Amino acid sequence: MRLGVLDVGSNTVHLLVVDAHPGARPLPAHSHKAELRLAQLLDESGAIDSVGVDKLIAVVQEALEAAEDKGVEDLLPFATSAVREASNADDVLARVRAETGVELQVLTGAEEARLTFLAARRWFGWSAGKLLVLDIGGGSLEIAYGIDEEPDAAASLPLGAGRLTAGWLPNDPADPGDIRALRRHVRAQIARTVGEFSRFGAPDHVVATSKTFRQLARIAGAARSADGLYVQRELKRRSLEDWVPRLAAMTTAERAELPGVSEGRANQLLAGAIVAAGAMDLFGVETLEICPWALREGVILRTLDQMATP
């Protein structure tokens, strides 16, 4: 059957269409995305402003039309931290439902972490042993650890690249004092969670998902996305730490010229690198592997599992 996953994230609204059935890997058939940056459209009260809601409704409608054109039989719509944490979330969800007919399921941070972990576990398999999974989104950082398909520990921290850029790095290029303050904030937040994970012992394999980690791996020398899903891509902490001061010295336009860095994400790359470096350091990770599957695939896999259950 043909499934569509509509992911209303902090940076983008992304429709992923796949051909899938229980027991088989989902095969991508179509991708439709729009840069919305909801995390940066919050007003002083923490609400998504009326312009932002209008834009969200418009892109959801576009995604619905694309899903119909591609023959999607079942649509799985969900929203993450930007909607979840908006002070007017209920009103936003009601307007989307009234004007598009789409009932967005708002995932908790822990659900995001668990579903992303499921996707990584299915990608790497049981032979990967105990997995530590890191994911940097626009609004939050998800961390999950475990040996089964359900993680033993999962956490979501408000350390997304978009959120931190908007709140801590207003200048272009970034002010050195702002960078130091952000680095202290990020490491203090992550350090509070390390004990929750370390009691389970060292992981056998550390993986990362998300556009931020893929871009950081690419500028550090990993293979291009055009080389395919099955090429192994790694990010080493030493390489990342070398890149952080270089990114800090660049303007957004200069970062956009780096290999694999999109113009729309270039302004967030420094904040994302600071979070990635902090997480790798505090969790004692020297090298991690990039996982092509993430939250959207986790949603698909969980849905297929439920369909296969009598």
Side-chain angles (χ1 to χ4, degrees):
M1 67 182 300
R2 181 155 282 194
L3 295 175
V5 178
L6 181 59
D7 175 2
V8 177
S10 298
N11 282 316
T12 61
V13 176
H14 188 172
L15 170 71
L16 175 64
V17 178
V18 300
D19 292 318
H21 63 268
R25 64 187 177 94
L27 297 175
H30 179 70
S31 178
H32 174 91
K33 64 177 69 175
E35 291 275 352
L36 194 55
R37 300 189 186 181
L38 281 177
Q40 299 180 33
L41 295 177
L42 303 179
D43 61 24
E44 293 182 356
S45 69
I48 300 174
D49 61 30
S50 59
V51 174
V53 178
D54 289 343
K55 289 180 178 179
L56 173 59
I57 289 169
V59 297
V60 168
Q61 192 61 54
E62 289 175 7
L64 283 177
E65 293 169 2
E68 181 179 337
D69 289 344
K70 297 302 177 181
V72 169
E73 300 175 53
D74 194 8
L75 185 68
L76 311 172
F78 66 90
T80 57
S81 62
V83 173
R84 179 173 68 236
E85 297 170 11
S87 60
N88 62 336
D90 290 342
D91 293 337
V92 172
L93 295 170
R95 275 201 61 193
V96 171
R97 181 172 58 249
E99 299 191 32
T100 69
V102 171
E103 183 86 39
L104 288 172
Q105 177 189 0
V106 179
L107 300 179
T108 67
E111 286 172 331
E112 282 191 60
R114 287 196 294 268
L115 288 166
T116 302
F117 184 88
L118 172 63
R121 169 59 73 195
R122 293 281 177 90
W123 181 268
F124 289 105
W126 298 114
S127 63
K130 293 178 287 186
L131 280 181
L132 175 63
V133 179
L134 305 172
D135 180 290
I136 301 172
S140 58
L141 163 68
E142 272 68 53
I143 309 166
Y145 174 99
I147 195 168
D148 296 317
E149 291 198 337
E150 183 70 20
D152 296 309
S156 179
L157 304 177
L159 299 177
R163 177 201 297 268
L164 296 179
T165 300
W168 292 79
L169 302 177
N171 299 318
D172 187 19
D175 180 80
D178 292 338
I179 294 171
R180 286 193 297 273
L182 175 58
R183 185 180 185 277
R184 287 194 298 269
H185 170 73
V186 164
R187 288 178 177 249
Q189 290 276 315
I190 295 173
R192 293 173 188 168
T193 71
V194 171
E196 178 183 350
F197 293 86
S198 61
R199 64 191 178 93
F200 293 103
D204 298 309
H205 199 56
V206 182
V207 303
T209 71
S210 76
K211 186 81 167 181
T212 294
F213 270 114
R214 289 199 301 272
Q215 290 184 341
L216 291 171
R218 178 71 184 98
I219 65 173
R224 305 171 303 160
S225 59
D227 293 331
L229 290 178
Y230 301 105
V231 176
Q232 185 178 28
R233 296 170 175 87
E234 292 184 339
L235 176 62
K236 296 185 181 299
R237 175 155 58 107
R238 180 176 297 177
S239 296
L240 177 58
E241 290 175 343
D242 288 343
W243 266 101
V244 171
R246 295 169 65 182
L247 292 172
M250 294 179 181
T251 64
T252 294
E254 289 169 337
R255 289 183 212 131
E257 297 296 321
L258 295 171
V261 177
S262 64
E263 184 177 353
R265 299 292 185 103
N267 70 317
Q268 302 179 14
L269 193 60
L270 172 59
I274 291 170
V275 174
M280 292 182 74
D281 185 14
L282 291 166
F283 280 96
V285 177
E286 295 300 326
T287 303
L288 56 76
E289 186 172 354
I290 305 301
C291 178
W293 281 3
L295 177 59
R296 285 182 289 274
E297 288 78 11
V299 170
I300 293 167
L301 293 166
R302 179 58 51 81
T303 300
L304 293 173
D305 289 348
Q306 292 169 347
M307 290 170 58
T309 303

